[in-house]
Amino acid sequence: MKAVRKSTRRASSFAMLAGVLAAGLVLGVAELAGSFFSTRSAPLIALGSTFIDFTPSWLKDFAIDTFGTNDKLALFIGMAVTIVILAAILGYLAWRRWILGVAGVLFMGAVMVAAVVSRAGASALDAVPSVIGTLAGLAALRWMIVKLHAAVPAAAQADDDGVYSADEPSPERAKTGASRRAFFAAAGVTAVVAGATAAGGAVISAARSTVNAARRQLSFPDPVDTAKPVPEGVDVALEGVDPWLTPNPDFYRIDTALQVPTIDVDTWELRIHGMVEEEIRMNFQDLLDSELIERHITLTCVSNPIGGDLVGNAKWLGYPIRKLLERARPTEGADMVLSTSTDGFSASTPLPVLQDERDAIFAIAMNDEPLPLEHGYPVRMVVPGLYGYVSATKWVVDLEVTRFADATAYWTDRGWSEKGPIKTQSRVEVPKPFAKVAAGTYRAGGTAWAQNRGIDKVEVQIDDGPWEEATLAIEYTVDTWRQWTHEVQLEPGSHRIRSRAYDPDGVQVEERTDTVPNGASGWHSVQFSAE
Ligand SMILES: Nc1nc2c(c(=O)[nH]1)N[C@H]1C(S)=C(S)[C@@H](COP(=O)(O)O)O[C@H]1N2
Ligand SMILES: [Mo]
């Protein structure tokens, strides 16, 4: 009887240990997963920052008075102690009654998610690491608790007050010993995985912050050819229409990189080779020493659905790809340039497109800022008029001049077309789908694009009425998108608004097609109602 009581007591401390290890796993996994996304999603930092934000000023003053510049360290130690205590309690609860453990872990997970998501600039996506971590921790806790139950005599678990009557036969005890070893194995695995994930996450985040610090230090020479001034009239000044210049944090991001590559500018090198008279290697300083130009170019993803937002307009600073090709001198028969990024993505771009006057560039800055890491730091390609998958290689390090007959690229290997000119598109941004607007005179608006060809006209239709010509904003260049606006008269009731754009070749294709294999076509239509 005494032995059993002792084993219960020991079991509860094992349960607490299991809770603490599971909490470690939650944080470790979340840290590693977070390092793949952004530093914002690291739950510990978010929790600490949230705590600071909610700390009453008397406590803040007390902390600064007491700990001085060590106040942050004190905060982390305080957090660690709190987490260990809460986790131990949770472990104990989970052992007594699993459902309490589940509820507790999910509650803590929810607190983490709330802390992460409420940080400035955070998005719902930043919650993913906390969610993954919580699920991993829950699974590990379950695993350890099951082993623990197997290790502790059944009678010991049946009674809450520690009074039982068990005279166990020795075979039982032998089994219990084996189960106890199984528990320790589970606990050991959890501890190792927690430590490894936390360390991995820390290493990746540290590498990223070093690269980010170097990135912030970068300064660029003045371009020899600056972008022409942007007239105010490129904007129709209608609330709800996307800004003409897309701020970097709002710029869509599409790539295959599970983890954003972190490249050291000092070791970055671009090689151009293959069917060329002269092979060239260029480092970042060579690029800075070259004659840089500045251009506004609207980038579009082939996966953008009709009316979608995988499109953005930015000012790019960089070196014309044409100039590099002039120096390398492609040989007879070459018709394609295969560009490859550090992470193995590749794009096949028609050689003539990179040689003509359209200003395809190796971009090093985006909207007057060094390229953001996720947009290809330190160097990416931007080619007016082609979808990103065949031209806009981020983190670019290699250019091979070759032939379409001899090589294929990442997406062309996966069923997308070899050639990817951007299709002329227009979209309605005001009204939004299913909006309720006031009947009477209503101002609609949106954006159209036909990079490298230009938008000549946009027409708008309400229900089955006549197509009317919309007012176009000033065209900046043919490589940038163009806003439109149009006043319509609305009767009360439900309506449909459609838009269609014209490029120099005529009206945009009406037939709706899927994005595969070379981009969606079709007229955008929005349902809404007036009352
Ligand atoms: N290295 C790399 N570059 C890439 C991609 C990629 O997956 N990896 N995706 C391309 C695609 S499909 C598009 S649409 C653009 C998107 O660029 P953005 O993320 O800067 O908007 O990048 C292109 N460059
Ligand atoms: Mo894309």
Side-chain angles (χ1 to χ4, degrees):
M1 181 163 152
K2 260 224 179 76
V4 174
R5 185 176 300 157
K6 202 165 135 221
S7 86
T8 320
R9 208 174 305 130
R10 208 177 288 151
S12 26
S13 46
F14 290 161
M16 292 180 192
L17 175 68
V20 172
L21 293 176
L25 189 76
V26 170
L27 294 174
V29 168
E31 216 55 32
L32 181 63
S35 70
F36 284 90
F37 287 77
S38 69
T39 41
R40 275 202 303 271
S41 46
L44 259 188
I45 302 291
L47 277 173
S49 314
T50 307
F51 182 82
I52 290 173
D53 293 347
F54 281 100
T55 307
S57 49
W58 64 263
L59 184 57
K60 218 171 267 177
D61 291 345
F62 168 80
I64 294 169
D65 281 351
T66 317
F67 304 109
T69 47
N70 282 330
D71 59 339
K72 301 242 163 29
L73 181 65
L75 170 67
F76 277 111
I77 292 173
M79 274 171 57
V81 171
T82 312
I83 289 171
V84 165
I85 292 172
L86 287 177
I89 295 173
L90 275 185
Y92 179 76
L93 289 177
W95 173 61
R96 298 316 298 231
R97 210 155 296 199
W98 173 240
I99 190 73
L100 288 180
V102 175
V105 172
L106 292 183
F107 177 74
M108 302 296 277
V111 169
M112 265 190 335
V113 166
V116 168
V117 172
S118 63
R119 300 314 300 159
S123 70
L125 204 64
D126 290 312
V128 172
S130 298
V131 171
I132 296 174
T134 302
L135 295 179
L138 201 56
L141 185 61
R142 174 77 206 164
W143 186 35
M144 289 182 284
I145 293 294
V146 165
K147 299 284 184 232
L148 189 58
H149 279 303
V152 177
Q157 298 164 35
D159 209 319
D160 274 344
D161 55 21
V163 182
Y164 359 81
S165 55
D167 274 318
E168 288 172 80
S170 40
E172 263 306 301
R173 213 165 288 160
K175 207 174 114 212
T176 300
S179 306
R180 184 164 298 174
R181 278 191 295 282
F183 167 75
F184 280 117
V189 168
T190 305
V192 167
V193 175
T197 49
V203 167
I204 292 170
S205 299
R208 176 151 325 149
S209 67
T210 313
V211 168
N212 241 326
R215 173 181 168 273
R216 277 192 294 272
Q217 298 292 310
L218 284 184
S219 61
F220 302 121
D222 286 334
V224 294
D225 187 359
T226 46
K228 61 176 186 173
V230 178
E232 247 178 59
V234 296
D235 210 300
V236 293
L238 176 62
E239 171 93 34
V241 172
D242 274 3
W244 183 80
L245 192 71
T246 314
N248 291 353
D250 300 342
F251 207 97
Y252 81 92
R253 175 189 163 197
I254 293 285
D255 53 61
T256 58
L258 180 58
Q259 195 201 325
V260 178
T262 44
I263 300 174
D264 177 358
V265 265
D266 295 331
T267 59
W268 178 85
E269 195 182 52
L270 177 69
R271 187 163 87 103
I272 176 163
H273 61 106
M275 298 174 70
V276 291
E277 305 263 339
E278 190 186 336
E279 206 172 281
I280 297 172
R281 284 170 185 274
M282 234 189 160
N283 61 30
F284 199 74
Q285 192 57 48
D286 297 333
L287 209 55
L288 291 183
D289 294 339
S290 310
E291 301 201 324
L292 302 180
I293 64 170
E294 212 177 38
R295 292 290 180 270
H296 287 85
I297 298 165
T298 300
L299 213 64
T300 310
C301 182
V302 69
S303 301
N304 191 42
I306 297 166
D309 55 10
L310 299 179
V311 51
N313 184 44
K315 180 167 86 177
W316 310 93
L317 170 75
Y319 179 60
I321 297 175
R322 183 179 58 242
K323 291 277 163 69
L324 184 68
L325 286 167
E326 278 166 14
R327 288 163 50 199
R329 301 193 303 282
T331 54
E332 191 68 32
D335 64 3
M336 187 262 269
V337 174
L338 185 72
S339 53
T340 307
S341 71
T342 43
D343 69 336
F345 167 89
S346 58
S348 51
T349 313
L351 177 61
V353 168
L354 300 177
Q355 292 174 308
D356 67 22
E357 288 303 310
R358 80 179 70 192
D359 293 328
I361 53 181
F362 293 112
I364 56 176
M366 180 176 184
N367 294 331
D368 297 316
E369 203 191 290
L371 274 184
L373 261 50
E374 62 271 26
H375 291 293
Y377 176 84
V379 183
R380 61 114 28 107
M381 290 169 54
V382 178
V383 182
L386 300 190
Y387 285 123
Y389 82 105
V390 287
S391 67
T393 305
K394 305 192 271 190
W395 314 292
V396 64
V397 288
D398 189 279
L399 252 58
E400 184 190 353
V401 178
T402 174
R403 305 188 310 161
F404 277 108
D406 295 339
T408 53
Y410 190 90
W411 287 114
T412 54
D413 281 341
R414 290 163 174 78
W416 295 79
S417 296
E418 195 172 83
K419 302 275 165 68
I422 296 174
K423 293 182 180 175
T424 299
Q425 267 296 345
S426 65
R427 68 179 184 200
V428 177
E429 288 159 61
V430 176
K432 302 289 175 207
F434 310 112
K436 286 188 173 50
V437 308
T441 306
Y442 179 77
R443 199 167 159 231
T447 309
W449 58 86
Q451 291 93 318
N452 197 44
R453 297 186 299 282
I455 292 293
D456 289 346
K457 184 164 77 171
V458 168
E459 290 176 336
V460 176
Q461 182 198 45
I462 299 290
D463 304 323
D464 289 315
W467 284 92
E468 293 176 2
E469 191 168 342
T471 307
L472 284 176
I474 292 175
E475 174 173 84
Y476 180 75
T477 68
V478 292
D479 293 334
T480 51
W481 59 10
R482 205 166 170 187
Q483 299 185 356
W484 59 265
T485 179
H486 189 57
E487 259 181 24
V488 294
Q489 297 301 323
L490 298 175
E491 299 286 326
S494 65
H495 296 289
R496 176 191 69 177
I497 180 171
R498 297 200 290 173
S499 75
R500 64 183 185 193
Y502 289 72
D503 60 24
D505 297 328
V507 68
Q508 77 178 73
V509 176
E510 175 177 9
E511 189 204 351
R512 283 184 170 247
T513 58
D514 196 9
T515 54
V516 185
N518 59 7
S521 68
W523 297 343
H524 187 213
S525 132
V526 168
Q527 289 298 138
F528 69 107
S529 63
E531 54 193 23

